[in-house]
Amino acid sequence: MGQFWYNVKTHEVEEDAMSDWTQLIGPYDSREEAEAALEKVRKRNEAWDADDDA
């Protein structure tokens, strides 16, 4: 079974990293995890911003 990547340019999930690595977030173990990649990034950024404010 392959790994899944989220392509930030096309906003699509790819199996086995078909695009340039500069356009990909991952790897993820499932298509569902890859689909949620931007939400995960958003939550991490919010947490880091909160740490900066402390």
Side-chain angles (χ1 to χ4, degrees):
M1 185 171 175
Q3 293 180 315
F4 296 88
W5 303 77
Y6 183 81
N7 185 313
V8 296
K9 187 173 182 180
T10 65
H11 304 283
E12 295 181 2
V13 174
E14 298 181 6
E15 191 168 357
D16 296 327
M18 298 175 354
S19 296
D20 186 87
W21 68 270
T22 61
Q23 300 173 0
L24 300 174
I25 301 173
Y28 296 95
D29 292 328
S30 71
R31 178 172 294 279
E32 292 76 20
E33 284 180 288
E35 288 170 347
L38 286 184
E39 180 63 18
K40 189 173 190 176
V41 167
R42 185 188 65 76
K43 287 181 180 179
R44 284 183 180 167
N45 286 343
E46 287 178 356
W48 289 335
D49 288 345
D51 286 346
D52 288 343
D53 292 339

